[in-house]
Amino acid sequence: MSSQETNDVLPRRKSDDEADLDITPMIDITFLLLAFFVMVSKMDPQLPVDLPQALNGDVIPEKNCVVLVVLKGAGDDEYSIYKGLTKAGADKIVGDDPVEQEEQIAQYVEETLSRNPTIQTILIKAEGEVTTGAVETVKRGVAGSELGLTRKLYVAVESTQ
Amino acid sequence: MTDKEKNENPEAGGPGDDSPSESGEFGLAAPTGKFGESNSSDRSGVGDPAANVSKTAAKTPGDFKQMNWKGFEEEEEDPDPSVSFGDDSETKRDDLDMTPMVDVVFLLLIFFMVTASFTLQKSIEQPPSKIEDPSTNVIEDPEDEDDYVEVIIDQTNTYYVTSRDAEEVEAPSDREMRDRMRDAKRTTGAPRLIINAHVESMHQKVVTVWDAGNAAGFDEIEMRTTDEDY
């Protein structure tokens, strides 16, 4: 209201309120950043896969799947296959010969399924740019495993709806 | 500015002067009321002195203590017009109630946004492939059994849609492939879709055809690969 009153009263109020207001949003933002980085850090080890787009599809939880990732390489025909979602060097399928790759995939699928017999699905996460032949190599590798043939085979897509 | 200040200053002096007088009134008013009661009791006590004296004696010590405490508290708070501190504390409490709730809401929002982005991934079921060389797949023709619609994807990622008796029609775009496949499905009523893809075609194209086949309502979708240029 008046200048004297404001001079007398407001400085106290401001000092009190400012102290409270300075702390709480800072804590809020800190928690938000914390949550953000926790989320992001969990995602990090996963391979970024540029999935092909499709309108329809089933929702399959990745946790209950044997996952195989096919990424596009530098050239048109080049591709790399990974066992599982992570980019660890040991999980990469080595060799250029499709027959060798199929054997490794079949071995991986067979081992994983015999260790975890409750897994009912095999999920191929292949990038849209990858050639059909590369995906077919993975499929034949899965078919090379006896246990793999008894499970359902899914190809991951990105839902556009 | 100076006029306003001059105008405001007397006003400022006004409440400042009023407040002590109010405090004085409060300080005075409380005891006077009590004294009034005691006086009235004394006056009425002329008739029955003993009973009234006992009543006043019983009342007075407790009342005085209460009066003293009230008086002290009011005198401490009153002299400043900063009685509004009480209001401030209430508003602070209101603010403190709101902020954590808003925080939690935002956190939940972010959580659900993150989880929602993960459910974007879906999957299409495909039959396991038969372990045969891709070239031998093309030679055998099991298409005699049923009506079928066939979509060929060649090495340049071009679609060709054919059905049992129809000629192959080139479909340059995804949309045209979808339309032609739906027309073929409607005219022939074929239950089967055969996808014949070149090994060098893009995986995206196969998925698009498969997706269109699911949308068109085929009971069975079969996939073959070939390495022969079309």
Side-chain angles (χ1 to χ4, degrees):
Chain A
M1 294 289 288
S2 63
S3 61
Q4 278 188 1
E5 238 183 313
T6 51
N7 283 338
D8 288 340
V9 178
L10 277 183
R12 286 190 202 166
R13 281 193 204 165
K14 271 186 182 175
S15 61
D16 284 346
D17 283 354
E18 272 178 4
D20 286 343
L21 283 175
D22 269 345
I23 293 177
T24 35
M26 203 179 69
I27 294 174
D28 301 347
I29 290 175
T30 313
F31 271 116
L32 283 177
L33 283 173
L34 180 79
F36 175 71
F37 281 114
V38 166
M39 293 287 189
V40 168
S41 65
K42 273 189 177 178
M43 308 303 130
D44 239 352
Q46 282 200 3
L47 289 161
V49 185
D50 187 16
L51 293 172
Q53 297 188 335
L55 293 174
N56 308 301
D58 306 328
V59 178
I60 303 289
E62 276 183 4
K63 284 180 182 174
N64 297 326
C65 293
V66 180
V67 183
L68 288 155
V69 178
V70 188
L71 295 185
K72 187 176 160 37
D76 274 350
D77 294 340
E78 292 179 30
Y79 58 92
S80 44
I81 306 170
Y82 292 89
K83 300 179 274 189
L85 286 166
T86 55
K87 205 174 185 174
D91 288 340
K92 190 176 178 181
I93 303 275
V94 291
D96 289 334
D97 184 19
V99 178
E100 286 178 27
Q101 291 172 343
E102 285 170 29
E103 284 171 5
Q104 292 180 58
I105 293 165
Q107 194 186 348
Y108 165 68
V109 172
E110 188 78 17
E111 280 177 6
T112 314
L113 284 178
S114 58
R115 219 181 307 127
N116 308 305
T118 55
I119 294 179
Q120 291 302 320
T121 47
I122 295 162
L123 182 66
I124 300 177
K125 290 181 72 174
E127 291 194 312
E129 303 268 311
V130 149
T131 59
T132 306
V135 182
E136 196 60 26
T137 302
V138 177
K139 278 191 192 174
R140 279 202 301 271
V142 171
S145 154
E146 286 183 16
L147 288 171
L149 274 176
T150 62
R151 303 301 200 273
K152 283 186 177 178
L153 181 68
Y154 283 88
V155 171
V157 296
E158 184 186 337
S159 176
T160 52
Q161 274 186 335
Chain B
M1 292 303 291
T2 55
D3 290 342
K4 285 180 183 175
E5 285 177 0
K6 280 175 186 175
N7 287 335
E8 284 174 357
N9 280 334
E11 285 177 2
D17 293 339
D18 287 344
S19 54
S21 70
E22 284 174 4
S23 69
E25 283 174 9
F26 275 115
L28 286 175
T32 46
K34 298 292 177 184
F35 278 124
E37 285 180 1
S38 65
N39 286 335
S40 65
S41 65
D42 285 342
R43 283 173 192 170
S44 61
V46 177
D48 296 324
N52 284 328
V53 167
S54 67
K55 277 183 184 175
T56 51
K59 276 185 179 178
T60 43
D63 284 347
F64 272 122
K65 281 181 184 175
Q66 288 177 2
M67 282 164 50
N68 286 338
W69 281 111
K70 280 179 183 174
F72 280 129
E73 285 175 359
E74 283 174 358
E75 278 175 8
E76 282 177 358
E77 288 182 1
D78 275 347
D80 251 359
S82 61
V83 182
S84 51
F85 266 131
D87 293 337
D88 271 1
S89 66
E90 282 178 10
T91 52
K92 273 182 198 168
R93 278 176 196 162
D94 286 343
D95 286 345
L96 283 175
D97 273 344
M98 287 297 290
T99 34
M101 201 181 71
V102 174
D103 301 347
V104 169
V105 169
F106 271 116
L107 280 176
L108 283 174
L109 179 80
I110 288 176
F111 175 72
F112 282 115
M113 280 173 68
V114 170
T115 49
S117 69
F118 284 162
T119 55
L120 271 179
Q121 180 187 313
K122 291 188 175 177
S123 308
I124 295 177
E125 186 176 358
Q126 297 195 349
S129 69
K130 301 145 192 168
I131 316 177
E132 286 170 81
D133 286 329
S135 56
T136 60
N137 263 348
V138 183
I139 296 168
E140 53 180 87
D141 280 332
E143 291 124 26
D144 306 329
E145 312 149 5
D146 273 329
D147 270 355
Y148 63 93
V149 174
E150 183 171 12
V151 176
I152 298 165
I153 309 170
D154 73 359
Q155 66 275 10
T156 58
N157 294 318
T158 313
Y159 306 112
Y160 300 88
V161 181
T162 95
S163 56
R164 188 180 175 83
D165 300 322
E167 282 187 16
E168 284 175 7
V169 184
E170 183 178 337
S173 71
D174 288 0
R175 171 178 290 247
E176 195 165 341
M177 183 272 297
R178 282 175 189 273
D179 289 344
R180 290 195 183 282
M181 184 197 288
R182 205 182 305 126
D183 287 346
K185 165 75 179 167
R186 199 184 301 136
T187 51
T188 64
R192 272 204 312 157
L193 173 69
I194 298 171
I195 303 173
N196 205 335
H198 195 275
V199 286
E200 285 175 16
S201 62
M202 269 168 56
H203 178 52
Q204 166 75 65
K205 299 294 176 185
V206 176
V207 167
T208 305
V209 176
W210 205 293
D211 187 36
N214 277 332
F218 285 98
D219 298 332
E220 187 188 341
I221 301 176
E222 193 181 322
M223 184 177 161
R224 300 166 191 175
T225 52
T226 175
D227 55 1
E228 287 178 8
D229 286 357
Y230 193 72

